Amino acid sequence: MLRSVIKEAKTVDEALRQALEELGIDEDQAEIEIINEGNKGLLGLIGNKNAVVKVTEKLNIEIIVKDFLEPLFEKMAIEADMEITMEDGLINIRLTGDDVGIIIGRRGETLDALQYLLSLVINRYTLDYTRVILDVADYRKKRAETLQRLAKRVAEKVSRTRRNITLEAMNPYERRISHSSLQEFPNINTQSVGEEPNRKVVIRYAPGIDR
């Protein structure tokens, strides 16, 4: 979770300085809440109240991502460059480098596992759910294009033979690609069957469905 401290001192500035120093951050990296501005009391002698300030470090997605991935890559003896972009509710992390292919794993299984773990870490710090996409050298884009071509090729065969065909087991993301790529295909519908991690897409002949 994000670190936070409460400091009490004679002035707001002094309490703020102490809090920033303890957290080891600059003021522009902090969320600052003045709980009590303090006062000097009567004649500066009676009823003095110290200022109280709460300082919380701001969410820095780039630091969170690097703190999670860099130690893993070091253990795997991998040098990877990271490109991190953020939009509303979405974080894209693109990895490039000479040895990053090993991160993909068989049919993207290692990449999917890392993406899942990274999503858990990031969403510990966010109030609203944030979607995380971890990609290696545009693997996901290329994989999506391959799945789209496969689904359409199989759908054409199903239309000719009028026999249903079941694709290989896929993760939820890849199944969504297969389903969506055939939404406009005439006389074809799709259905996911089975249990994870062996859930598959069935491409069915459905006469009368004219899109």
Side-chain angles (χ1 to χ4, degrees):
M1 299 297 291
L2 296 177
R3 296 178 301 155
S4 179
V5 296
I6 296 176
K7 286 295 180 181
E8 181 177 337
K10 291 183 179 180
T11 66
V12 169
D13 288 344
E14 177 60 19
L16 176 59
R17 185 193 66 77
Q18 292 179 16
L20 293 173
E21 186 176 283
E22 181 169 325
L23 291 173
I25 59 177
D26 296 326
E27 189 170 341
D28 60 357
Q29 298 172 307
E31 298 285 351
I32 300 167
E33 178 186 353
I34 300 175
I35 298 174
N36 193 323
E37 293 186 354
N39 62 64
K40 293 183 178 180
L42 182 63
L43 302 177
L45 298 172
I46 302 173
N48 286 358
K49 288 186 178 180
N50 285 341
V52 181
V53 174
K54 180 180 180 180
V55 175
T56 304
E57 64 179 343
K58 287 182 179 178
L59 179 64
N60 189 318
I61 292 296
E62 186 169 337
I63 290 177
I64 294 171
V65 171
K66 289 184 176 180
D67 283 351
F68 177 78
L69 291 178
E70 286 180 347
L72 292 176
F73 295 162
E74 185 175 345
K75 290 180 180 179
M76 298 170 71
I78 293 173
E79 292 187 6
D81 295 321
M82 297 185 207
E83 179 185 332
I84 303 171
T85 58
M86 289 167 277
E87 302 173 11
D88 291 340
L90 175 64
I91 300 171
N92 277 292
I93 303 126
R94 182 172 179 268
L95 306 176
T96 56
D98 293 336
D99 304 316
V100 293
I102 193 174
I103 300 171
I104 297 172
R106 179 176 176 270
R107 292 193 305 185
E109 291 175 354
T110 304
L111 183 61
D112 288 340
L114 277 178
Q115 177 176 284
Y116 173 73
L117 292 173
L118 185 56
S119 177
L120 290 180
V121 170
I122 289 174
N123 279 285
R124 287 176 55 200
Y125 296 92
T126 57
L127 294 176
D128 299 319
Y129 177 76
T130 300
R131 187 181 173 204
V132 177
I133 297 178
L134 179 64
D135 200 1
V136 172
D138 294 327
Y139 165 80
R140 294 197 185 280
K141 178 182 178 181
K142 295 172 185 175
R143 176 65 173 162
E145 292 171 349
T146 298
L147 290 172
Q148 289 167 352
R149 289 194 298 269
L150 172 65
K152 290 176 181 178
R153 187 167 65 248
V154 172
E156 290 170 354
K157 183 175 181 180
V158 170
S159 292
R160 290 196 310 271
T161 64
R162 301 190 177 186
R163 299 182 66 177
N164 301 339
I165 296 178
T166 302
L167 302 180
E168 64 180 4
M170 300 178 188
N171 61 41
Y173 170 74
E174 293 184 340
R175 291 199 304 272
R176 283 195 297 271
I177 292 172
S178 299
H179 288 303
S180 63
S181 64
L182 297 179
Q183 284 182 346
E184 304 300 323
F185 209 99
N187 299 320
I188 291 292
N189 69 14
T190 59
Q191 180 183 4
S192 290
V193 298
E195 302 294 331
E196 300 290 3
N198 297 311
R199 198 159 167 80
K200 303 176 181 180
V201 172
V202 180
I203 299 177
R204 302 178 182 276
Y205 179 66
I209 297 181
D210 187 1
R211 298 184 173 92

